[in-house]
Amino acid sequence: MKSNLITRGGHDKLVAELKNLWHEERPEITRKVNWAASLGDRSENADYQYNKQILRKIDRRVRYLGKRLEELRIIDFSPEQAGKVYFGAWVDIENDEGESKTIRIVGVDEIYDHHPQHISIDSPMSRALLGKQVDDEAEVMTPSGKKIWYINAIRYDPSENPVDSNH
């Protein structure tokens, strides 16, 4: 099952995408479809066929985003998380082979932009890292067997969080 967690930044991107699709791209493609339809025979009209296909694709994405945004739960950083790996954390890790990575644990909906450092909260790596601290080791089962990763640093991006005037 897909988790419904998302960072505030990820949520903002999806909202912006929905707004852009609905207010910019869809009206533009609708104009093109209407123009192409006014030219007559739609069955042999490549402009009409092509733009109609794009319109269907946009409508599918708009429907998906509309439903998905209602299901998502924004997770903001809280001070209690400091020093441990939780959702939204940036984590610097390395293994015995000298391989090192910086990754960020995010919701499945934030993987769509193929950010090379984003990994899903549902991934085996995330599950192994959650709750760990600097200098802990995380055991991850991979297709090629068990791998041990060492946690070198954990940080959270303060720009991802709303300003809390009470603290």
Side-chain angles (χ1 to χ4, degrees):
M1 190 177 122
K2 199 157 69 159
S3 69
N4 289 336
L5 307 180
I6 194 164
T7 63
R8 183 163 300 278
H11 186 269
D12 292 349
K13 276 185 183 173
L14 291 182
V15 168
E17 180 187 356
L18 178 59
K19 194 174 177 182
N20 179 57
L21 286 171
W22 191 250
H23 296 291
E24 306 292 329
E25 290 187 38
R26 192 177 192 289
E28 173 70 19
I29 296 299
T30 301
R31 275 192 293 281
K32 288 180 181 178
V33 167
N34 290 337
W35 170 81
S38 73
L39 299 177
D41 187 3
R42 295 176 187 178
S43 64
E44 293 183 21
N45 185 329
D47 271 335
Y48 177 81
Q49 299 293 335
Y50 175 74
N51 286 298
K52 194 72 174 159
Q53 188 178 7
I54 291 174
L55 190 58
R56 280 193 296 273
K57 189 176 175 186
I58 289 171
D59 286 345
R60 269 195 306 277
R61 184 70 178 159
V62 163
R63 274 193 308 277
Y64 172 79
L65 288 172
K67 285 182 197 163
R68 190 67 180 141
L69 284 165
E70 290 174 11
E71 300 167 346
L72 292 170
R73 201 171 109 227
I74 299 170
I75 303 295
D76 286 319
F77 171 75
S78 69
E80 298 83 55
Q81 290 176 252
K84 287 196 175 186
V85 178
Y86 290 108
F87 185 82
W90 285 95
V91 188
D92 296 337
I93 56 175
E94 72 176 289
N95 63 21
D96 288 332
E97 290 118 53
E99 186 183 358
S100 63
K101 299 179 179 196
T102 298
I103 56 175
R104 184 171 191 213
I105 300 173
V106 296
V108 293
D109 296 276
E110 296 173 87
I111 305 298
Y112 72 90
D113 61 1
H114 305 293
H115 191 291
Q117 295 175 306
H118 286 180
I119 64 169
S120 166
I121 183 75
D122 299 331
S123 71
M125 176 69 88
S126 290
R127 292 188 190 288
L129 291 171
L130 289 173
K132 302 275 196 254
Q133 301 177 66
V134 170
D135 295 332
D136 283 354
E137 54 182 60
E139 195 175 285
V140 183
M141 283 308 291
T142 70
S144 59
K146 186 174 19 173
K147 277 202 170 181
I148 304 291
W149 290 89
Y150 302 95
I151 300 170
N152 292 329
I154 303 164
R155 64 192 174 285
Y156 293 87
D157 184 355
S159 69
E160 278 279 309
N161 302 298
V163 176
D164 185 350
S165 58
N166 297 330
H167 292 83

